[in-house]
Amino acid sequence: MSLRYALLALLRVGPLSGYELQKQFAMSVGHVWHAPDSQIYPELRKMEAEHLIEGEEQTRGQRATRRIYHVTDTGEQAFLAWMHTPLKYARVRDPAHLRAAYLEAATPEAAREFFRSHIMQWEGELAQWEGELLRIDELANPMLVRRLAVTQPEDRERTIAFKRFTYEGLVERARGEIAWARRGLKLIDELDRSAGARADRDTARV
Amino acid sequence: MSLRYALLALLRVGPLSGYELQKQFAMSVGHVWHAPDSQIYPELRKMEAEHLIEGEEQTRGQRATRRIYHVTDTGEQAFLAWMHTPLKYARVRDPAHLRAAYLEAATPEAAREFFRSHIMQWEGELAQWEGELLRIDELANPMLVRRLAVTQPEDRERTIAFKRFTYEGLVERARGEIAWARRGLKLIDELDRSAGARADRDTARV
DNA sequence: TAATCCATGTAATGAGTTACATGATTCT
DNA sequence: AGAATCATGTAACTCATTACATGGATTA
């Protein structure tokens, strides 16, 4: 259900074709809400059927066409209504912490590998989000620049501030996950040592 | 796909009926992987069809029956194989941060309400996870106690350590979300002030 | 003329949510 | 006798993933 609001958020800045939208999506909203093109095209059609957006067919070259979508009044209202509606939080469903809770069933090497890939995963996200923070500060994000261009001067500060604030939160989360996983690696070392010590003691006794 | 491993993790401790499993689930793995009963019962049937678990019909009173499930060798192997398999990370899909990125479109009061409910949401999770941490330390979690009872003495330290470590991570995450949302509330105050100051200055000029 | 973009989908499957549905047993 | 709990599901729907499918336009 959030997908359509993510799409509306982008289209509110200005009309785009499905293809452009999909590209822009990956580089902006896609950082907080992933969607593949195979989901975006049908969703646009559905949104058009519900009159949230309108598409205009444009010719391209001799035979090809493309559809340029823009937000309707209904769509704008739906977006604002959603912004003023309490968010539904999804129930926890966290495969990484599920696995972490049962790591005693894995070999220490597999447990280490788990934490290492957790670190890599979140370092990837961190890099994305830090990059986005930089692009916000330097006004180097094209969608943000277009957004500011159609925003009342007195609202520009807010627009930038909330975007920045969002990515700050994501960056902190990523750092938290990385720190946790690093501590996980240390924990495995400690457990190894303490198991080793116990084994030594037992051998000594025998 | 994680659901079945969450179920296996619980059943590995000892046989349970679907109903008991579902109750235990909510009180243990459910803290990291939520699943309603309408999902658990069919999944158990599917897992039985794939020989990961076996169910034995038990009579209850005069007419009623219940099915007690236990993990088969195949199931045990499948669980261990999963534990040694790289985790698939789901793509980001974060409605809260999606909304946060566009809060300039909401009234300040709606934006405040958003952050307040974000805080409440995560305080709820935090309380759950801190409670679980306490129950781990006091060995007051029945599933953990049963787990330890069937665990080799030399593995008990690891078992407790990983469980503790998991919930520590969740607690930190919740605290992070809460801290972020509190800063969000402050940010709105600041933007309000700066907007107010601008308005005053403009009026003064006129 | 081949590669790369531009452009738009469908189809099958799986995972999860919500609502509905039913009946036995045990405890008070 | 009524409430709570035990016990087990089905059905309809939405959302998301993965794979497949096609073809025009542009540029090197």
Side-chain angles (χ1 to χ4, degrees), chain A residues 188-199 201, chain B residues 157:
Chain A
I188 296 170
D189 290 344
E190 283 163 26
L191 290 171
D192 265 8
R193 265 201 300 280
S194 107
R198 190 166 40 240
R201 193 192 54 213
Chain B
E157 184 187 5

Coordinates of all heavy atoms in Angstrom, one line a residue, chain A residues 188-199 201, chain B residues 157:
Chain A
I188 N 31.9 -14.4 19.7 CA 32.3 -15.8 19.2 C 33.7 -16.1 19.6 O 34.0 -17.2 20.1 CB 32.1 -15.9 17.7 CG1 30.6 -15.7 17.3 CG2 32.6 -17.2 17.2 CD1 30.4 -15.6 15.8
D189 N 34.6 -15.1 19.5 CA 36.0 -15.3 20.0 C 36.0 -15.6 21.4 O 36.7 -16.6 21.9 CB 36.8 -14.0 19.7 CG 37.0 -13.8 18.2 OD1 36.8 -14.7 17.5 OD2 37.4 -12.6 17.9
E190 N 35.2 -14.9 22.2 CA 35.2 -15.1 23.7 C 34.7 -16.5 24.0 O 35.3 -17.2 24.8 CB 34.3 -14.1 24.4 CG 35.0 -12.7 24.5 CD 34.0 -11.6 24.8 OE1 32.9 -12.0 25.4 OE2 34.2 -10.5 24.5
L191 N 33.6 -16.9 23.3 CA 33.0 -18.2 23.6 C 34.0 -19.3 23.2 O 34.2 -20.3 23.8 CB 31.7 -18.4 22.8 CG 30.6 -17.6 23.3 CD1 29.4 -17.6 22.3 CD2 30.1 -18.0 24.7
D192 N 34.7 -19.1 22.1 CA 35.8 -20.0 21.6 C 36.8 -20.2 22.7 O 37.2 -21.3 23.1 CB 36.5 -19.5 20.4 CG 35.8 -20.1 19.1 OD1 34.8 -20.8 19.3 OD2 36.4 -19.9 18.0
R193 N 37.3 -19.0 23.2 CA 38.3 -19.1 24.3 C 37.8 -19.8 25.5 O 38.5 -20.6 26.1 CB 38.7 -17.6 24.7 CG 39.9 -17.1 23.9 CD 40.6 -16.0 24.6 NE 39.7 -14.8 24.8 CZ 39.4 -13.9 23.8 NH1 40.0 -14.0 22.7 NH2 38.6 -12.9 24.1
S194 N 36.6 -19.5 25.9 CA 36.1 -20.1 27.1 C 35.9 -21.6 26.9 O 36.1 -22.4 27.8 CB 34.9 -19.4 27.6 OG 33.7 -20.1 27.4
A195 N 35.5 -22.0 25.7 CA 35.3 -23.4 25.4 C 36.7 -24.1 25.4 O 36.9 -25.2 26.0 CB 34.6 -23.6 24.1
G196 N 37.7 -23.3 24.8 CA 39.1 -23.9 24.8 C 39.6 -24.1 26.2 O 40.2 -25.1 26.5
A197 N 39.4 -23.1 27.1 CA 39.9 -23.1 28.4 C 39.3 -24.3 29.2 O 40.0 -25.1 29.9 CB 39.5 -21.8 29.2
R198 N 38.0 -24.5 28.9 CA 37.3 -25.6 29.6 C 37.9 -27.0 29.1 O 38.2 -27.9 29.9 CB 35.8 -25.6 29.3 CG 35.0 -26.6 30.1 CD 33.5 -26.3 30.1 NE 33.1 -25.9 28.8 CZ 32.5 -24.7 28.5 NH1 32.3 -23.8 29.4 NH2 32.1 -24.5 27.3
A199 N 38.1 -27.0 27.8 CA 38.7 -28.3 27.2 C 40.0 -28.5 27.8 O 40.4 -29.7 28.2 CB 38.7 -28.1 25.7
R201 N 41.3 -27.5 30.7 CA 41.2 -27.9 32.1 C 40.8 -29.3 32.2 O 41.3 -30.1 33.0 CB 40.1 -27.0 32.7 CG 40.1 -27.0 34.2 CD 38.8 -26.3 34.7 NE 37.7 -26.9 34.1 CZ 36.6 -26.2 33.7 NH1 36.4 -24.9 34.0 NH2 35.5 -26.9 33.2
Chain B
E157 N 26.4 -22.3 27.8 CA 26.9 -20.9 27.8 C 26.6 -20.2 26.5 O 26.1 -19.1 26.4 CB 28.4 -20.9 28.1 CG 29.0 -19.5 28.2 CD 30.5 -19.5 28.4 OE1 31.1 -20.6 28.2 OE2 31.0 -18.4 28.6

